[in-house]
């Protein structure tokens, strides 16, 4: 277990718990900590129980610990449900206006300067705190203290609005954590610029209402941006040339729609929220026909409505990126919780056989990188590319360092060379006069620029160039025009027509039921599929972490990547995480399992969807650890689970 | 090695000679064989296109800027026949596809050809929203009162009592009046025409395409095989010459005179016409020429430190 510090803020929906957690995360981030924020809330606007757990460490983290250092309770339920998780020198902070089940301990003179207990560079304040298993609350209960802050009274006295409750909490947290007033003031100035003076006053009162309990030193690490997975997906899409985002709100994907709408002006994005998910995907495909690099996002229920569009993208060979954010089903299920139960749905949605890319990021960094790859490959191969995320990734916030990622690969879009006649579904590989690929540069300078339309394709070409202008050392993409791919062009195209068709069609795009033509087109799509499989093999499609030579491996996908990496590090195991699930990276997976004698698959579903997928590709799994209550594994739970399996 | 397909997909497979392209880029039609039944009203609509292409060019819309979107049904074969940019889409989905194309490139002139089952049944919601948004596309509905391609079932505009293959005892439902819906939704151009009478149809289609905003033309298109209404329409249709297309009330009154069944007289022509902002206008001024993606990403990240 990485040395870390965890704070939980809990209250009713409507109390602004998320915002309080995010503020604490940003503050810790500025001190050089790597943070992870898990938010747990029911599908309600007011009432219910909400909490946010902020975990901070020197290493990158992406899961919660059961063990908490500080609990900040805005209601009795928080005390009841979470206070017992406080470890040895833990602190329970209560809002004395709303928490009645406990009372604050008497202040102990001299408590304010525990300099002898200073954590310094070591996050663990004296003694063994790293318990494992769920029931670790007994040890050191005596040292756990309760502090009270009369939040409502403070706000009333200062005539501050209820939202400033968070600022008060932030002040309280800083004092307890031993973070200086200067740093706090700085953070508030940057992140809460509205009503600055009032906020500072409120924070000051929160700060003064408590005592110092810890001395969280600032680390000598650069502060990183903090982002949730939804935002990171958006950022990756934008980086790779996304020009349009179309979506209908559905948890846990809604954050991506909000993010794209909020940056639309700055990023020249066309953001549309149409009447339903059917319109969403069909509109996006219409945009793609016109040369717009469109993406859509939804959760399982909305994706049900989109499946006809997925198959259309396959047949009409239109590029599209689809983010599917998983939440527990069947049907409406648990809207605001997490799962990994839509893998086979996404792998198989849509009638017929056609290539599709499915990537499954497990953190904000992976979400950024793989969403960019998805956009690049959707356009290079003219088909549907999925970013299969889960609630834990979409709504979890992470410290993100894009410079720590491998350089983004450059994916050229094979463009029409301008030699007439244009055939939207040309099969250059079985034609004698194979068209050569136009690179984006050719498009903007060469004769082909006139041949393709001036407006949209020019923009699209720019987008491609911009989306791929990364440093050297990036994975080299394959040949100019991959097998099965027909060079693209967009209307208007003087003297030519661009015909796309949902029926089987000939090279021009005219419907056909001819048996030979059908075979050739089916095989064209399969050739693209195989080329795509080779393409993903040039990326780190299967991640291996932990002890790469260990004979026991933890296998996982999506958001479980972080918790599995940490458990693997702790227990000396190998961690294997396929990031691409279609086409399945068989070669890399085989390599990743080299020397593995025991394979334990960790998933958030009941039936073992990754296990089933692996079986299809000839791999067997020895043990499975599954959680399907809509919650993520905590570090201690998974550690215990793995130890039990290994016993 | 690959699990994808156990095939020789090297591409060397037998290759059928490609059909000759058209008589030339200027030809209105492709080489696709026409498979509509003799007497089908769809021919009347296709014939209009033969002259419409040049007429649009004369009105500032060169043919390469035209995009035709089709649904699925007999009507939709027009996508194969027309030597124009086409998107042969899905049953019921012409409108979102056409909307996406227009939003993708507002310089294109986008015309959807839909069926009555297609557009008033499978995809009715899209039509209402296109009207609500006043997206600058045109919707030509080949309204034959029947699902023709699936060999004859009742549609949303079939009259009560219609004996189709799925309602052998007669449909128990009232037809909808799609033009009323379009006006209610906010469409800024609403017309009815007939597949017989080339000149009238040509004029209405031209007006609809040139109209700035969402336009609907409900074309009474006779299905000679499954719902032959030639004599019914010939007896009842007439050209309106005394209506006020700028008045919504007048439009709704005139639209209500015939209820897609019964003995009322069937007015043809443009019922309603108004000016309003178009949805595509929202995205017209996006200029990406100086947009630096790497810098934008770094900037967004910096704001989150
Ligand atoms: C989602 C879906 N459902 C059903 C069909 C089958 N289908 C093809 S055409 C058609 C009806 C066509 O009727 P209409 O839209 O009125 O066109 P018409 O053939 O009369 O021109 C149907 C139901 C389909 N292609 N897609
Ligand atoms: S079935 Fe009817 S609509 Fe279809 S081609 Fe024949 S006559 Fe025309
Ligand atoms: Mg019909």
């Amino acid at each position: 277990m990485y040395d870390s510090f965890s704070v939980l803020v809990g209250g009713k929906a409507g109390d602004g718990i998320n915002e309080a957690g995010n503020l604490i995360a940003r503050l810790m981030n500025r001190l050089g900590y790597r943070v992870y924020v898990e938010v747990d809330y029911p599908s309600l606007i007011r009432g219910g129980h909400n909490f946010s757990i902020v975990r901070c460490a020197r290493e990158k983290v992406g899961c919660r610990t059961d063990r908490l250092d500080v609990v900040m309770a805005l209601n009795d339920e928080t005390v009841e449900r979470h206070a017992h998780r406080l470890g040895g020198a833990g602190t329970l902070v209560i809002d004395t206006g709303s928490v009645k089940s406990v009372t604050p301990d008497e202040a102990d003179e001299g408590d304010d300067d525990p300099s002898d207990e200073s954590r310094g560079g070591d996050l663990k304040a004296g003694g063994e705190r790293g318990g494992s298993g769920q029931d670790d609350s007994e040890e050191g209960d005596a040292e756990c203290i309760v502090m009270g802050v009369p939040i409502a009274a403070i706000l009333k006295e200062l005539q501050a609005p209820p939202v400033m409750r968070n600022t008060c909490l932030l002040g309280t947290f800083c004092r307890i954590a031993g973070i200086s007033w200067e740093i706090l003031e700085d953070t508030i100035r940057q992140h809460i610029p509205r009503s600055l003076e009032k906020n500072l006053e409120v924070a000051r009162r929160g700060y003064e209402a408590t005592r110092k309990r810890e001395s969280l030193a600032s680390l000598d690490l650069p502060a990183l941006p903090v982002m949730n997975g939804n935002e990171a997906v958006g950022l990756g899409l934008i980086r790779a040339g996304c020009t349009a985002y179309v979506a209908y709100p559905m948890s846990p994907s809604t954050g991506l729609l909000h993010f794209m709408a909020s940056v639309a002006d700055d990023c020249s994005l066309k953001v549309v929220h149409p009447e339903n998910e059917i319109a969403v995907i069909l509109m996006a495909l219409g945009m793609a026909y016109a040369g717009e690099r469109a993406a859509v996002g939804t959760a399982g229920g909305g994706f049900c409505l989109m499946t006809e569009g997925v198959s259309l993208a396959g047949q009409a060979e239109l590029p599209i990126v689809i983010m599917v954010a998983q939440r527990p089903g069947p049907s409406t299920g648990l809207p605001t919780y997490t799962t990994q139960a839509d893998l086979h749905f996404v792998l198989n949605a849509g009638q017929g056989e056609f290539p599709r890319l499915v990537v499954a990021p497990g953190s904000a960094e992976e979400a950024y990188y793989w969403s960019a790859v998805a956009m690049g490959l959707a356009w290079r191969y003219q088909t549907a590319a999925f970013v299969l995320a889960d609630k834990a990734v979409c709504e979890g916030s992470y410290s993100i360092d894009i410079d720590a990622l491998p350089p983004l690969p450059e994916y050229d879009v094979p463009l029409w060379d301008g030699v007439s006649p244009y055939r939207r579904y040309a099969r250059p590989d079985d034609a004698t006069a194979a068209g050569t690929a136009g690179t984006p540069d050719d498009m903007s300078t060469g004769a082909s620029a006139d041949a393709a339309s001036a407006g949209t394709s020019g923009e699209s070409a720019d987008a491609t160039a911009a989306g791929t202008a990364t440093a050297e050392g990036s994975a080299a993409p394959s040949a100019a025009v991959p097998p099965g791919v027909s060079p693209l062009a967009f209307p208007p195209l003087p003297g030519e027509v661009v015909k796309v068709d949902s029926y089987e069609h000939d090279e021009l795009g005219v419907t056909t039921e001819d048996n030979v033509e059908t075979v050739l087109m089916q095989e064209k799509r399969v050739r693209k599929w195989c080329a795509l499989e080779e393409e993903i093999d040039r990326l780190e499609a299967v991640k291996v972490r932990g002890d790469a030579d260990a004979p026991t491996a933890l296998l996982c996908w999506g958001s479980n990547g972080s918790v599995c990496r940490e458990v693997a590090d702790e227990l000396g195991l190998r961690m294997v995480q396929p990031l691409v699930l279609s086409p399945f990276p068989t070669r890399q997976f085989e390599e990743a399992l080299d020397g593995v004698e025991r394979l334990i698959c960790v998933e958030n579903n009941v039936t073992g969807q990754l296990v089933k997928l692996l079986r299809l590709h000839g791999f067997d799994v020895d043990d499975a650890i599954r959680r399907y209550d809509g919650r993520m594994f905590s570090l201690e739970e998974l550690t215990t689970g793995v130890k039990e399996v290994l016993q | 090695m690959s699990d994808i397909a156990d095939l020789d997909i090297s591409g060397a497979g037998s290759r059928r000679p490609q059909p000759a392209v058209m008589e030339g880029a200027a030809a209105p039609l492709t080489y696709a064989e026409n498979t509509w039944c003799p007497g089908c009203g769809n021919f009347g609509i296709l014939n209009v296109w033969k002259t419409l292409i040049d007429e649009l060019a004369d009105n500032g819309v060169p043919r390469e800027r035209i995009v035709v979107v089709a649904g699925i049904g007999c009507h939709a074969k027009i996508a194969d026949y027309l030597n124009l940019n086409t998107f042969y889409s899905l049953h019921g989905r012409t409108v979102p596809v056409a909307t996406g194309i227009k939003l993708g490139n507002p310089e294109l002139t986008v015309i959807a050809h839909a069926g009555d089952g297609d557009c008033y049944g499978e995809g009715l919601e899209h039509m209402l929203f296109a009207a609500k948004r006043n997206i600058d596309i045109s919707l030509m509905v080949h309204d034959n009162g029947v699902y023709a391609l699936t060999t004859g079932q009742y549609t949303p505009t079939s009259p009560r009592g219609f004996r189709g293959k799925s309602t052998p005892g007669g449909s128990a439902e009232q037809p909808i009046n799609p033009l009323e819906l379009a006006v209610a939704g906010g469409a800024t151009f609403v017309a009815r025409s007939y597949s017989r009478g080339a000149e009238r149809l040509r004029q209405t289609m031209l007006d609809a395409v040139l109209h700035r905003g969402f336009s609907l033309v409900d074309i009474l298109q006779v299905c000679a095989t499954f719902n032959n209404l030639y004599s019914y329409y010939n007896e009842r249709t007439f050209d309106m010459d005394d209506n006020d297309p700028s008045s919504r009330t007048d439009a709704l009154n005139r639209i209500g005179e015939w209820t897609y069944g019964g003995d009322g007289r069937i007015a043809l022509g443009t019922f309603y016409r108004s000016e309003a902002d178009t949805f595509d206008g929202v995205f017209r001024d996006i200029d990406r020429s100086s947009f630096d993606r790497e810098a934008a990403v770094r900037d967004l990240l910096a704001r989150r430190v």
Side-chain angles (χ1 to χ4, degrees):
Chain A
M1 174 192 221
Y2 305 143
D3 193 7
S4 67
F5 182 86
S6 294
V7 193
L8 180 146
V9 188
K12 294 194 304 289
D15 280 349
I17 299 304
N18 269 5
E19 202 33 49
N22 286 340
L23 281 170
I24 291 173
R26 285 188 202 290
L27 183 97
M28 293 304 291
N29 189 64
R30 300 189 85 191
L31 295 179
Y33 289 83
R34 297 335 182 201
V35 301
Y36 172 68
V37 187
E38 181 183 340
V39 290
D40 186 304
Y41 63 101
S43 183
L44 292 168
I45 304 302
R46 301 223 159 258
H49 181 61
N50 275 26
F51 61 93
S52 174
I53 301 177
V54 185
R55 183 170 176 225
C56 329
R58 176 175 276 277
E59 294 83 5
K60 275 180 200 155
V61 282
C63 69
R64 71 159 189 279
T65 54
D66 287 331
R67 171 91 172 209
L68 300 169
D69 296 283
V70 176
V71 170
M72 308 185 84
L74 293 177
N75 62 358
D76 284 316
E77 197 171 349
T78 302
V79 176
E80 196 182 305
R81 287 177 55 167
H82 308 289
H84 69 281
R85 300 233 179 260
L86 281 165
T91 309
L92 170 63
V93 182
I94 57 166
D95 171 13
T96 50
S98 52
V99 174
K100 300 296 174 200
S101 54
V102 285
T103 47
D105 296 337
E106 292 299 312
D108 193 357
E109 293 303 316
D111 228 14
D112 208 350
D113 188 20
S115 44
D116 47 337
E117 263 193 7
S118 171
R119 289 179 168 232
D122 176 11
L123 295 181
K124 284 182 188 170
E128 178 51 57
R129 296 163 53 91
S132 63
Q134 303 189 13
D135 202 6
D136 57 354
S137 53
E138 292 310 308
E139 45 169 318
D141 252 351
E143 298 165 58
C144 183
I145 70 159
V146 183
M147 291 186 181
V149 184
I151 298 181
I154 291 174
L155 296 185
K156 193 170 173 201
E157 189 190 324
L158 298 178
Q159 294 182 318
V163 284
M164 290 196 189
R165 197 190 282 118
N166 291 329
T167 318
C168 191
L169 281 175
L170 191 67
T172 303
F173 170 75
C174 283
R175 182 62 168 278
I176 291 170
I179 294 166
S180 74
W181 170 255
E182 288 69 36
I183 292 176
L184 171 59
E185 183 174 336
D186 214 39
T187 306
I188 292 176
R189 281 184 192 280
Q190 180 161 350
H191 293 290
I192 327 179
R194 279 176 51 211
S195 316
L196 181 64
E197 291 312 317
K198 185 69 80 187
N199 269 301
L200 286 173
E201 241 181 303
V202 171
R204 181 100 226 170
R205 293 291 295 274
Y207 191 81
E208 284 168 355
T210 42
R211 283 164 294 134
K212 180 167 164 182
R213 290 277 291 159
E214 311 265 351
S215 295
L216 288 183
S218 69
L219 305 180
D220 50 355
L221 294 173
L224 292 176
V226 180
M227 262 205 163
N228 67 32
N230 274 327
E231 294 169 325
V233 169
L235 212 61
L237 293 174
I238 291 168
R239 181 62 186 81
C242 181
T243 59
Y245 184 72
V246 193
Y248 189 89
M250 185 166 190
S251 289
S253 69
T254 312
L256 178 53
L257 171 60
H258 293 176
F259 175 73
M260 294 304 242
S262 73
V263 302
D265 288 344
D266 290 345
C267 296
S268 305
L269 274 177
K270 298 176 181 174
V271 178
V272 188
H273 162 183
E275 57 272 23
N276 57 30
E277 287 85 352
I278 298 176
V280 164
I281 192 161
L282 273 292
M283 247 184 224
L285 292 173
M287 287 176 166
Y289 170 85
E292 206 78 87
R293 287 168 82 105
V296 303
T298 186
F303 184 58
C304 287
L305 298 186
M306 288 190 186
T307 54
E308 64 175 36
V310 173
S311 191
L312 174 59
Q315 176 68 285
E317 303 199 38
L318 288 164
I320 184 164
V321 178
I322 305 166
M323 180 188 75
V324 179
Q326 298 170 94
R327 68 190 223 188
S331 197
T332 311
L334 282 73
T336 57
Y337 289 89
T338 201
T339 190
Q340 299 185 311
D342 294 338
L343 173 58
H344 287 278
F345 180 28
V346 165
L347 287 172
N348 296 295
Q351 70 273 32
E353 298 167 301
F354 55 91
R356 80 183 72 204
L357 176 75
V358 179
V359 301
S363 66
E365 273 172 17
E366 288 171 0
Y368 170 76
Y369 180 86
W370 288 99
S371 301
V373 167
M375 182 57 86
L377 291 179
W379 276 78
R380 185 161 171 76
Y381 289 89
Q382 298 169 35
T383 195
F386 292 89
V387 178
L388 179 57
D390 48 43
K391 185 264 179 180
V393 168
C394 287
E395 297 192 345
S397 293
Y398 303 75
S399 299
I400 175 171
D401 181 5
I402 61 167
D403 294 316
L405 290 165
L408 284 173
E410 297 184 26
Y411 291 118
D412 288 345
V413 178
L415 294 171
W416 182 48
D417 60 5
V419 177
S420 261
Y422 178 63
R423 291 178 187 278
R424 178 62 177 73
Y425 300 105
R427 294 184 299 256
D429 349 67
D430 61 13
T432 34
T436 47
T439 63
D441 282 347
D442 293 343
M443 280 298 293
S444 47
T445 56
S448 53
D450 321 315
S453 76
T456 319
S457 66
E459 273 174 16
S460 173
D462 287 349
T464 313
T468 54
T470 345
E472 294 133 44
S474 56
S478 57
V481 184
V485 170
S486 312
L488 273 180
F490 313 99
L493 224 55
E496 306 290 340
V497 294
V498 182
K499 293 177 99 66
V500 300
D501 193 356
S502 72
Y503 280 99
E504 192 58 275
H505 41 255
D506 64 15
E507 290 191 65
L508 183 66
V510 168
T511 303
T512 182
E513 291 177 345
D514 179 90
N515 64 327
V516 174
E517 195 65 36
T518 302
V519 165
L520 291 172
M521 280 298 173
Q522 295 279 11
E523 293 185 0
K524 170 194 201 292
R525 293 186 286 269
V526 169
R527 276 208 297 285
K528 287 204 300 185
W529 201 336
C530 294
L532 181 61
E533 185 186 37
E534 281 177 34
E535 188 88 75
I536 56 121
D537 197 36
R538 293 187 196 93
L539 302 165
E540 192 188 11
V542 180
K543 216 173 194 173
V544 180
R545 295 289 184 272
D547 177 353
D549 299 319
T552 302
L554 287 185
L555 171 66
C556 65
W557 60 288
S559 61
N560 282 325
S562 300
V563 67
C564 285
R565 173 171 52 88
E566 204 170 336
V567 172
D569 280 343
E570 165 104 350
L571 302 179
L573 309 177
R574 193 185 305 197
M575 194 282 281
V576 178
Q577 176 192 3
L579 280 140
V580 181
L581 297 167
S582 169
F584 194 75
T586 312
R587 193 199 61 79
Q588 287 189 29
F589 196 75
E590 231 159 37
E591 212 172 271
L593 292 194
D594 188 39
V596 168
E597 288 157 21
R598 189 155 182 189
L599 191 56
I600 307 169
C601 189
V602 179
E603 293 187 73
N604 287 110
N605 56 50
V606 196
T607 58
Q609 300 209 1
L610 180 59
V611 174
K612 287 207 183 93
L613 177 64
L614 291 177
R615 250 182 236 145
L616 273 175
H617 295 278
F619 300 97
D620 269 326
V621 169
D622 301 292
D623 301 281
I625 300 179
R626 293 180 197 145
R627 180 167 186 167
Y628 36 86
D629 59 354
R631 277 72 175 172
M632 296 175 78
F633 287 103
S634 73
L635 183 60
E636 292 92 336
E637 281 158 4
L638 189 63
T639 308
T640 310
V642 171
K643 280 181 179 165
E644 273 168 15
V645 164
L646 290 178
Q647 250 163 29
Chain B
M1 184 207 91
S2 165
D3 298 328
I4 292 168
D6 195 8
L7 270 184
D8 170 20
I9 39 135
S10 55
S14 54
R15 186 180 156 76
R16 184 146 291 196
Q18 281 294 299
V21 191
M22 294 39 77
E23 304 116 66
L29 302 183
T30 64
Y31 50 77
E33 182 197 347
N34 192 303
T35 57
W36 284 327
C37 311
C40 174
N42 284 322
F43 284 108
I45 301 171
L46 183 64
N47 283 337
V48 165
W49 262 112
K50 292 181 188 164
T51 51
L52 196 60
I53 295 173
D54 287 339
E55 265 183 306
L56 284 172
D58 293 343
N59 282 279
V61 185
R63 66 184 295 161
E64 65 270 16
R65 287 214 336 243
I66 300 170
V67 182
V68 170
V69 180
I72 297 293
C74 288
H75 65 276
K77 296 179 182 180
I78 201 166
D80 281 336
Y81 305 152
L82 284 173
N83 184 26
L84 291 171
N85 298 312
T86 53
F87 190 133
Y88 204 151
S89 74
L90 299 182
H91 188 52
R93 311 298 170 214
T94 54
V95 171
V97 169
T99 303
I101 295 171
K102 185 70 185 177
L103 295 180
N105 184 356
E107 300 307 317
L108 298 172
T109 294
V110 189
I111 300 136
H113 281 265
D116 51 332
D118 182 89
C119 180
Y120 303 148
E122 187 79 286
L124 177 63
E125 75 276 28
H126 306 305
M127 183 185 85
L128 288 175
F129 276 81
K132 170 177 181 285
R133 290 181 190 110
N134 197 33
I135 176 91
D136 185 14
I137 60 172
S138 309
L139 177 57
M140 311 291 170
V141 180
H142 301 215
D143 188 351
N144 53 13
V146 71
Y147 285 96
L149 192 63
T150 46
T151 71
Q153 300 85 8
Y154 83 115
T155 70
T157 51
S158 306
R160 189 181 186 124
F162 181 89
R163 289 180 193 274
K165 289 178 181 160
S166 63
T167 53
S171 154
E173 299 174 29
Q174 290 294 347
I176 59 167
N177 186 327
L179 300 179
E180 261 171 19
L181 286 176
V183 172
T188 51
F189 183 106
V190 176
R192 184 189 292 132
S193 199
Y194 180 21
S195 57
R196 187 172 268 186
E199 174 47 28
R200 178 202 304 115
L201 181 58
R202 186 199 59 75
Q203 190 61 52
T204 306
M205 284 175 65
L206 180 68
D207 289 349
V209 174
L210 295 178
H211 171 75
R212 228 182 105 266
F214 178 71
S215 53
L216 168 66
V217 185
D218 185 55
I219 305 171
L220 304 176
Q221 170 254 318
V222 171
C223 169
T225 304
F226 296 109
N227 194 20
N228 195 332
L229 297 175
Y230 277 121
S231 55
Y232 176 83
Y233 289 147
N234 289 345
E235 282 162 24
R236 289 169 180 77
T237 55
F238 69 99
D239 291 305
M240 276 186 297
D241 53 11
D242 58 344
N243 66 319
D244 175 9
S246 67
S247 158
R248 214 161 167 269
T249 321
D250 197 37
L252 285 169
N253 285 337
R254 300 307 298 259
I255 287 170
E257 284 170 8
W258 180 59
T259 53
Y260 290 77
D263 277 334
R265 292 184 71 216
I266 306 171
L268 302 178
T270 302
F271 294 100
Y272 185 62
R273 188 167 202 168
S274 64
E275 292 287 320
D277 287 344
T278 64
F279 188 63
D280 39 294
V282 178
F283 300 113
R284 241 172 219 278
D285 297 325
I286 291 185
D287 174 15
R288 302 194 181 110
S289 53
S290 60
F291 180 48
D292 177 345
R293 292 182 181 274
E294 176 71 14
V297 163
R298 300 255 167 213
D299 180 54
L300 286 170
L301 283 167
R303 287 192 229 160
R304 279 167 174 75
V305 174

